[in-house]
Amino acid sequence: MYPGKVIILLFLIILSSESFAQKSKQQLEKEKAPAPPTEVEAVDKPNDGGGAVLINWTISDDDADIKGYVISRSESEQGPFHDISESVQGSDSYTDNKAIQGVTYYYQVKSYKDVLDLNNEIQRITSPTISTGPVVS
């Protein structure tokens, strides 16, 4: 056998994989974040007896190129915010049916797209987050 050639081949494979990972990172850095949704508002859902909040927004300017929207909620304006749902591309509202009556909530909505990197792994790229003021369920 040729042990020297095996070591050289292994060295080339390691160098290639490092170069591949670097290209993958560069590809993601070049990927543009989608435009955020605008005019995000949260209101108590009327005539529901409490316990539901309706979140509305104007779709992202990049709606045709995104996968959807992530809706997050917190009981504090400073957070932490927790993702409570995702909605699909083209949607402009979400109803939070798990809100507790009398509790003040803050919501955030952001658009996102998934990009396949060079390693065939899905990477999520999100827009800046748009927040609402307080709403009481």
Side-chain angles (χ1 to χ4, degrees), residues 104-123:
T104 300
Y105 292 107
Y106 297 82
Y107 291 88
Q108 295 182 336
V109 181
K110 59 187 169 190
S111 57
Y112 75 93
K113 61 183 177 179
D114 289 339
V115 176
L116 193 63
D117 68 15
L118 293 175
N119 293 321
N120 287 325
E121 295 177 359
I122 295 176
Q123 302 294 325

Side-chain angles (χ1 to χ4, degrees), residues 8-60:
I8 291 172
L9 180 60
L10 181 59
F11 180 71
L12 289 175
I13 290 172
I14 291 170
L15 284 179
S16 294
S17 67
E18 288 175 0
S19 175
F20 191 72
Q22 184 64 26
K23 285 181 185 175
S24 177
K25 182 179 178 186
Q26 290 171 349
Q27 174 196 11
L28 287 175
E29 288 171 356
K30 289 180 185 176
E31 192 66 44
K32 181 181 161 236
T38 58
E39 301 177 36
V40 177
E41 67 173 356
V43 294
D44 182 43
K45 187 173 179 183
N47 306 317
D48 71 337
V53 174
L54 181 60
I55 301 100
N56 299 301
W57 59 87
T58 300
I59 63 173
S60 165

